[in-house]
Amino acid sequence: MDFALTEDQQMIQDMARNFALKEIAPFIEQDEENHFYRREILTKLGDLGLLGWSIPEEYGGNGMGWMEAVLALYEISKVHTSWRLSVSGNCWGPAMTINQYGTEEQKQKYIPGLVAGTSVGSFAITEANTGSDVASMKTFAEDKGDHWLINGSKMWISGGHTCDIGLLYAVTDKGAGAKGISCFIIDYNNTSGVTRIPIHSKVGMWPAPTSELVFENAVVPKENLLGPLNKGFQICMWMLNNTRMGCATGSAALSAACLEGSVQYANERTQFGKPIGKYQMIQAQLAEMKLEDEAAKYLVYHAAWLKDNNLPSQQATSMAKLYGCMAAVHGANMAMKIYGSYGYSTEYPCGRWLRDAKQFETLEGTSNIHMQIISGIELGYQPNR
């Protein structure tokens, strides 16, 4: 594996960095304070081709793969990690999954808007009493002959009340567990019986919308079933192996933001007549952060390389996601120490870094789940897909 960047990859990296600094950075404090989601950012990402990763060009894809995707997302997430959800919510979630399992009609109807950023995407798995145990979900889709009738609710859905198109996982064969779940494409703007409720009581990720979805006799066309009936669990696991790359990349980028900010502060802040970076304890803390940051980044690169080469990547993806969140949380903690009292002040971003870092420990598989995946594959108890 050679991770030396090509000229094209460097161009993508620079484009994403410049976009984030121009379009996202100036509004971070305002968006955080107001818990404000700016939809136009998604459209601008689409205009630059930054949502079409690993999607065929015939459906609007950019003709590039996973490595280019993580390079771009890393730069965006380093500026403000809330915006990494727009990539997963559009490209690595619905668009890529529809491309893999959808009919030609579904691909042509839904993918172009998702990669252009003119449609906002989402995917709904989690319920109030269903987290890590996906197969225990209760939302039920009843076959009514000429349509599906859906009842139930979903909780903690990223982009749930702001999206246009979403994937919904629901039970279609009660009592069959994982073998009785199916996946549906939901056109939220044209589906009656759906109530979308914003969730504002979050610790962090404030500009990233999160929602509760309630389905009460929601009518969904028969042709909106994605993939084979009762194969939704397999589709869900395939999708998560992709969307978790967003978590892995975002957490590694947040670790880098904590390191860069801490280095800058350590060179600017003086105590006892010299910069605090001259003191060995501060140097030791920065050394720890640098080690973890580099490890997290190259685990992401490795997983992306495996995906680009069509090699089994589930274990590598879980390793990148797990270690990335560990690096982000530790990096945010260390940054707050290095900044001292100012770290606890809203004048600096340490509080935001720590709030945003903690969500990586639960989003798209808790740290415990990823430890099980990693060890289960290593022990030979499950295949590395």
Short mmCIF file of all heavy atoms in Angstrom, two decimals, residues 59 97-111 185 223-227:
data_model
loop_
_atom_site.label_atom_id
_atom_site.label_comp_id
_atom_site.label_asym_id
_atom_site.label_seq_id
_atom_site.Cartn_x
_atom_site.Cartn_y
_atom_site.Cartn_z
N TYR A 59 -25.17 7.97 -13.02
CA TYR A 59 -26.16 8.46 -12.07
C TYR A 59 -25.70 9.75 -11.38
O TYR A 59 -26.27 10.15 -10.37
CB TYR A 59 -26.45 7.40 -11.01
CG TYR A 59 -26.90 6.08 -11.59
CD1 TYR A 59 -26.21 4.90 -11.31
CD2 TYR A 59 -28.01 6.00 -12.45
CE1 TYR A 59 -26.61 3.68 -11.84
CE2 TYR A 59 -28.40 4.79 -13.01
CZ TYR A 59 -27.70 3.64 -12.70
OH TYR A 59 -28.09 2.43 -13.25
N THR A 97 -26.44 2.57 -1.38
CA THR A 97 -27.24 1.38 -1.11
C THR A 97 -28.27 1.16 -2.22
O THR A 97 -28.52 0.02 -2.62
CB THR A 97 -27.93 1.51 0.27
OG1 THR A 97 -26.95 1.86 1.25
CG2 THR A 97 -28.59 0.21 0.68
N ILE A 98 -28.87 2.23 -2.71
CA ILE A 98 -29.79 2.10 -3.84
C ILE A 98 -29.03 1.63 -5.08
O ILE A 98 -29.54 0.80 -5.85
CB ILE A 98 -30.51 3.44 -4.11
CG1 ILE A 98 -31.45 3.78 -2.95
CG2 ILE A 98 -31.30 3.39 -5.41
CD1 ILE A 98 -32.06 5.17 -3.01
N ASN A 99 -27.82 2.12 -5.26
CA ASN A 99 -27.02 1.68 -6.40
C ASN A 99 -26.70 0.18 -6.32
O ASN A 99 -26.66 -0.51 -7.34
CB ASN A 99 -25.71 2.47 -6.47
CG ASN A 99 -24.86 2.07 -7.65
OD1 ASN A 99 -25.26 2.22 -8.79
ND2 ASN A 99 -23.68 1.53 -7.38
N GLN A 100 -26.51 -0.32 -5.11
CA GLN A 100 -26.17 -1.73 -4.93
C GLN A 100 -27.38 -2.65 -5.05
O GLN A 100 -27.31 -3.72 -5.65
CB GLN A 100 -25.52 -1.93 -3.55
CG GLN A 100 -25.15 -3.36 -3.20
CD GLN A 100 -23.98 -3.90 -3.98
OE1 GLN A 100 -23.26 -3.14 -4.64
NE2 GLN A 100 -23.75 -5.20 -3.92
N TYR A 101 -28.52 -2.23 -4.50
CA TYR A 101 -29.68 -3.12 -4.39
C TYR A 101 -30.89 -2.68 -5.19
O TYR A 101 -31.87 -3.43 -5.29
CB TYR A 101 -30.08 -3.26 -2.91
CG TYR A 101 -29.05 -3.97 -2.08
CD1 TYR A 101 -28.15 -3.27 -1.28
CD2 TYR A 101 -28.97 -5.36 -2.07
CE1 TYR A 101 -27.19 -3.92 -0.51
CE2 TYR A 101 -28.03 -6.03 -1.30
CZ TYR A 101 -27.14 -5.30 -0.52
OH TYR A 101 -26.20 -5.94 0.24
N GLY A 102 -30.87 -1.48 -5.73
CA GLY A 102 -32.07 -0.94 -6.36
C GLY A 102 -32.30 -1.41 -7.78
O GLY A 102 -31.40 -1.93 -8.46
N THR A 103 -33.52 -1.23 -8.25
CA THR A 103 -33.86 -1.47 -9.64
C THR A 103 -33.32 -0.30 -10.47
O THR A 103 -32.95 0.75 -9.94
CB THR A 103 -35.38 -1.56 -9.83
OG1 THR A 103 -35.96 -0.28 -9.49
CG2 THR A 103 -35.98 -2.63 -8.94
N GLU A 104 -33.28 -0.48 -11.77
CA GLU A 104 -32.81 0.60 -12.63
C GLU A 104 -33.69 1.84 -12.48
O GLU A 104 -33.19 2.98 -12.47
CB GLU A 104 -32.80 0.14 -14.08
CG GLU A 104 -32.23 1.16 -15.06
CD GLU A 104 -30.78 1.52 -14.75
OE1 GLU A 104 -30.03 0.67 -14.21
OE2 GLU A 104 -30.40 2.67 -15.04
N GLU A 105 -34.99 1.63 -12.34
CA GLU A 105 -35.91 2.75 -12.15
C GLU A 105 -35.60 3.49 -10.85
O GLU A 105 -35.60 4.73 -10.80
CB GLU A 105 -37.35 2.26 -12.14
CG GLU A 105 -38.38 3.37 -11.97
CD GLU A 105 -39.81 2.87 -11.92
OE1 GLU A 105 -40.01 1.64 -12.03
OE2 GLU A 105 -40.72 3.70 -11.78
N GLN A 106 -35.35 2.76 -9.77
CA GLN A 106 -35.02 3.38 -8.48
C GLN A 106 -33.71 4.16 -8.57
O GLN A 106 -33.60 5.27 -8.03
CB GLN A 106 -34.94 2.31 -7.39
CG GLN A 106 -36.28 1.71 -7.00
CD GLN A 106 -36.13 0.53 -6.07
OE1 GLN A 106 -35.09 -0.13 -6.02
NE2 GLN A 106 -37.19 0.22 -5.32
N LYS A 107 -32.73 3.60 -9.25
CA LYS A 107 -31.44 4.27 -9.39
C LYS A 107 -31.58 5.59 -10.12
O LYS A 107 -31.06 6.63 -9.68
CB LYS A 107 -30.45 3.36 -10.12
CG LYS A 107 -30.06 2.11 -9.36
CD LYS A 107 -29.15 1.23 -10.20
CE LYS A 107 -28.83 -0.09 -9.50
NZ LYS A 107 -27.92 -0.94 -10.32
N GLN A 108 -32.29 5.58 -11.22
CA GLN A 108 -32.45 6.79 -12.01
C GLN A 108 -33.31 7.84 -11.30
O GLN A 108 -33.10 9.04 -11.47
CB GLN A 108 -33.06 6.44 -13.38
CG GLN A 108 -32.15 5.62 -14.27
CD GLN A 108 -32.77 5.35 -15.63
OE1 GLN A 108 -33.81 5.90 -15.97
NE2 GLN A 108 -32.12 4.49 -16.42
N LYS A 109 -34.24 7.37 -10.50
CA LYS A 109 -35.17 8.29 -9.84
C LYS A 109 -34.54 8.98 -8.63
O LYS A 109 -34.78 10.18 -8.40
CB LYS A 109 -36.42 7.53 -9.40
CG LYS A 109 -37.49 8.40 -8.75
CD LYS A 109 -38.75 7.59 -8.45
CE LYS A 109 -39.84 8.47 -7.85
NZ LYS A 109 -41.08 7.69 -7.56
N TYR A 110 -33.72 8.26 -7.87
CA TYR A 110 -33.28 8.80 -6.58
C TYR A 110 -31.80 9.19 -6.51
O TYR A 110 -31.46 10.16 -5.81
CB TYR A 110 -33.57 7.79 -5.47
CG TYR A 110 -35.04 7.50 -5.28
CD1 TYR A 110 -35.58 6.26 -5.62
CD2 TYR A 110 -35.90 8.48 -4.80
CE1 TYR A 110 -36.93 6.00 -5.46
CE2 TYR A 110 -37.26 8.23 -4.64
CZ TYR A 110 -37.77 6.98 -4.97
OH TYR A 110 -39.12 6.74 -4.82
N ILE A 111 -30.92 8.46 -7.17
CA ILE A 111 -29.49 8.70 -6.96
C ILE A 111 -29.03 10.07 -7.46
O ILE A 111 -28.29 10.77 -6.74
CB ILE A 111 -28.64 7.57 -7.58
CG1 ILE A 111 -28.92 6.25 -6.86
CG2 ILE A 111 -27.15 7.91 -7.49
CD1 ILE A 111 -28.18 5.05 -7.45
N ILE A 185 -37.60 2.63 0.44
CA ILE A 185 -37.25 4.01 0.08
C ILE A 185 -38.47 4.87 0.40
O ILE A 185 -39.56 4.62 -0.11
CB ILE A 185 -36.90 4.13 -1.40
CG1 ILE A 185 -35.74 3.20 -1.77
CG2 ILE A 185 -36.54 5.58 -1.74
CD1 ILE A 185 -35.46 3.12 -3.26
N GLU A 223 -43.49 -0.41 -5.19
CA GLU A 223 -42.22 -0.34 -5.90
C GLU A 223 -41.10 0.31 -5.09
O GLU A 223 -39.95 0.38 -5.53
CB GLU A 223 -42.39 0.43 -7.22
CG GLU A 223 -42.84 1.87 -7.09
CD GLU A 223 -44.35 2.02 -7.20
OE1 GLU A 223 -45.08 1.03 -6.92
OE2 GLU A 223 -44.81 3.13 -7.54
N ASN A 224 -41.42 0.78 -3.87
CA ASN A 224 -40.40 1.40 -3.04
C ASN A 224 -39.70 0.42 -2.11
O ASN A 224 -38.86 0.81 -1.30
CB ASN A 224 -41.01 2.54 -2.20
CG ASN A 224 -41.18 3.80 -3.03
OD1 ASN A 224 -41.44 3.73 -4.22
ND2 ASN A 224 -41.02 4.95 -2.41
N LEU A 225 -40.01 -0.86 -2.23
CA LEU A 225 -39.22 -1.89 -1.55
C LEU A 225 -37.85 -1.92 -2.19
O LEU A 225 -37.72 -2.01 -3.41
CB LEU A 225 -39.89 -3.25 -1.67
CG LEU A 225 -39.11 -4.45 -1.11
CD1 LEU A 225 -39.06 -4.39 0.41
CD2 LEU A 225 -39.75 -5.76 -1.58
N LEU A 226 -36.79 -1.82 -1.37
CA LEU A 226 -35.43 -1.85 -1.89
C LEU A 226 -34.83 -3.24 -1.67
O LEU A 226 -34.72 -3.70 -0.53
CB LEU A 226 -34.56 -0.80 -1.19
CG LEU A 226 -33.10 -0.73 -1.66
CD1 LEU A 226 -33.02 -0.30 -3.13
CD2 LEU A 226 -32.29 0.22 -0.79
N GLY A 227 -34.45 -3.88 -2.74
CA GLY A 227 -33.88 -5.21 -2.64
C GLY A 227 -34.94 -6.26 -2.38
O GLY A 227 -36.15 -5.96 -2.35
#
